[in-house]
Amino acid sequence: MAFTLPTLPYAQSALEPHIDAMTMEIHHGKHHQAYVTNANKALEGTRWADADPVEVIRQLAEIPDDKRGPVRNNAGGHVNHSMFWALMAPAGAGGGGVPGGGVGPAITAAFGSFDAFKEKFAAAGTGRFGSGWAWLVFNGEKLEICSTANQDNPLMGKGIAGCEGSPILGLDVWEHAYYLKYQNRRPDYIAGWWNVVNWSRVDELYRKAGGK
Ligand code: MN3
């Protein structure tokens, strides 16, 4: 089956005031939908047409040359956004607070403290010139922070994305993610976003990636 747009796990207005309903409506319904549509178009007639999108971006090097660019951008966009929606929850109702489970202590061990982690992660997001993502990845041994351009994902590998590992937290820093509410103030968007991070989901991804 071709890729489809996942339903948001909450109402479009559920992340307000940190992320406004209009941004969610356009970001999910228009931008993410366009990645889905264009990924399907690029993969039509190939052996990846019915594949798991995560497997598609892991195998990007095997995609024919004439399709690799559109697949990188659009299957990448589909995977990144599908992950992103589930990594958020309404503030105070699953979103925000401090990480617990296994990932909380792992963050403290890797970065010194939760605040030090947040500072370093925010710097990765604000420091990404143009469009891209900030990531927290588990490399099998420890947690690392990195950022990628455009719709690249660490699962594409270091040679393509510039960083690697299993992403367990990702932040969209494209202007389309924040411009309506925050205009050019990306640091304010990131500061607000911490209030809606779904740490249970981060912990779930950490454990799936082999973290303890
Ligand atoms: Mn986006």
Side-chain angles (χ1 to χ4, degrees), residues 27 81 172 176:
H27 197 181
H81 288 83
D172 189 341
H176 69 218

Side-chain angles (χ1 to χ4, degrees), residues 50-167:
D50 298 314
D52 176 342
V54 170
E55 289 311 310
V56 172
I57 68 162
R58 280 180 192 275
Q59 297 166 21
L60 208 50
E62 295 170 41
I63 305 277
D65 287 351
D66 62 326
K67 297 182 186 292
R68 193 177 307 118
V71 171
R72 177 180 181 175
N73 290 334
N74 293 291
H78 177 42
V79 170
N80 292 350
H81 288 83
S82 298
M83 180 184 184
F84 187 53
W85 310 133
L87 280 166
M88 298 187 287
V98 297
V103 80
I107 285 174
T108 305
F111 305 103
S113 67
F114 180 49
D115 283 344
F117 155 74
K118 285 206 296 184
E119 199 172 309
K120 195 173 175 194
F121 188 90
T126 52
R128 165 55 53 188
F129 184 78
S131 297
W133 291 73
W135 301 101
L136 176 63
V137 301
F138 183 61
N139 69 14
E141 288 176 9
K142 62 179 170 50
L143 294 170
E144 293 175 336
I145 289 168
C146 66
S147 86
T148 58
N150 302 315
Q151 295 298 353
D152 287 352
N153 182 299
L155 293 174
M156 293 174 181
K158 199 159 198 159
I160 293 173
C163 76
E164 61 193 347
S166 302

